[in-house]
Amino acid sequence: MYHAYGVSPSGNCYKVKLALSQLGLPFEWHEVDMMHGEHLQPAFLRMNPNAKVPVLAIDDDTFLPESNAILYYLAQGTELMPASRLEQAQVMQWLFFEQYSHEPHIAVARFIHVFLGRPASREAELASKMKGGYKALDVMEQHLGKQVYFVGNRYSIADIALYAYTHKAHEGGFCLDAYPAIRSWLARVAAQPGHVAM
């Protein structure tokens, strides 16, 4: 039995819940009350001194933070991780892309809109995030125009990582009308066995 600690509206946390569900692994979800500083308490800091979610408790003394590291751990030896070295490296390529070129723009734009109510003081930042987010979407659209999924034309954790915030991109003000390949891919991911909504 795994224990997953996170915040349900977070795309990074959702990745973990989606992977656990699709792999059919037994887990218990623990909602972390970050608004009241639960992530700063000693019990949580013992699991992740960086005070961030998500965290996967593997056993009573082994804790794994960082969403994409958790995905990598869970996917080893399963259908969510390709067998070839090259395709495994390509999965990692997209996990890094998601964290450095995608999530910092699309997730932050969503945060500014949904959780902060789009304050005037964040408009310049939001404009920058929109530009970066559309650049990431352009890269994804070009790739998905040639492939059904991100790596080897088969569903993997690369798709889970990128699905989390992309399927909520509209909440950050992004319009996907000009991205037919992404929209088709989103539908394919949502149709996967074991899919759970965010």
Side-chain angles (χ1 to χ4, degrees), residues 4-134:
Y5 295 80
V7 177
S8 292
S10 159
N12 284 323
C13 296
Y14 171 64
K15 295 175 199 175
V16 175
K17 186 181 289 187
L18 182 56
L20 286 164
S21 298
Q22 292 187 316
L23 288 168
L25 297 171
F27 73 96
E28 185 174 335
W29 182 263
H30 302 269
E31 195 74 14
V32 178
D33 187 356
M34 297 186 78
M35 295 299 293
H36 292 94
E38 184 180 352
H39 61 302
L40 302 175
Q41 299 304 309
F44 188 88
L45 293 172
R46 184 174 85 86
M47 297 188 292
N48 184 11
N50 199 27
K52 292 185 177 182
V53 291
V55 175
L56 182 71
I58 297 168
D59 58 38
D60 291 342
D61 299 302
T62 309
F63 309 101
L64 184 62
E66 299 296 338
S67 61
N68 288 351
I70 296 169
L71 290 183
Y72 179 83
Y73 172 80
L74 293 174
Q76 292 299 304
T78 77
E79 64 273 15
L80 293 181
M81 179 64 79
S84 81
R85 288 177 60 197
L86 176 59
E87 289 186 344
Q88 288 180 3
Q90 289 170 335
V91 166
M92 298 305 296
Q93 167 199 333
W94 287 108
L95 295 185
F96 288 126
F97 171 85
E98 188 268 338
Q99 283 291 283
Y100 288 100
S101 299
H102 179 278
E103 190 265 3
H105 302 289
I106 293 177
V108 174
R110 176 175 177 254
F111 180 79
I112 292 171
H113 273 272
V114 175
F115 299 99
L116 299 183
R118 194 174 177 173
S121 61
R122 303 290 288 266
E123 283 298 321
E125 179 187 5
L126 180 59
S128 172
K129 297 302 178 186
M130 298 300 289
K131 181 179 179 182
Y134 277 119

Side-chain angles (χ1 to χ4, degrees), residues 114-187:
V114 175
F115 299 99
L116 299 183
R118 194 174 177 173
S121 61
R122 303 290 288 266
E123 283 298 321
E125 179 187 5
L126 180 59
S128 172
K129 297 302 178 186
M130 298 300 289
K131 181 179 179 182
Y134 277 119
K135 181 179 178 182
L137 291 169
D138 289 343
V139 171
M140 293 169 64
E141 178 72 14
Q142 181 180 6
H143 185 73
L144 290 169
K146 299 175 286 188
Q147 295 214 148
V148 176
Y149 294 107
F150 274 94
V151 177
N153 279 318
R154 54 178 282 182
Y155 185 66
S156 73
I157 56 170
D159 299 288
I160 291 176
L162 284 159
Y163 177 80
Y165 282 112
T166 304
H167 89 291
K168 294 292 185 179
H170 62 281
E171 294 183 357
F174 295 94
C175 178
L176 299 183
D177 288 352
Y179 298 95
I182 289 178
R183 295 198 314 272
S184 295
W185 165 77
L186 290 174

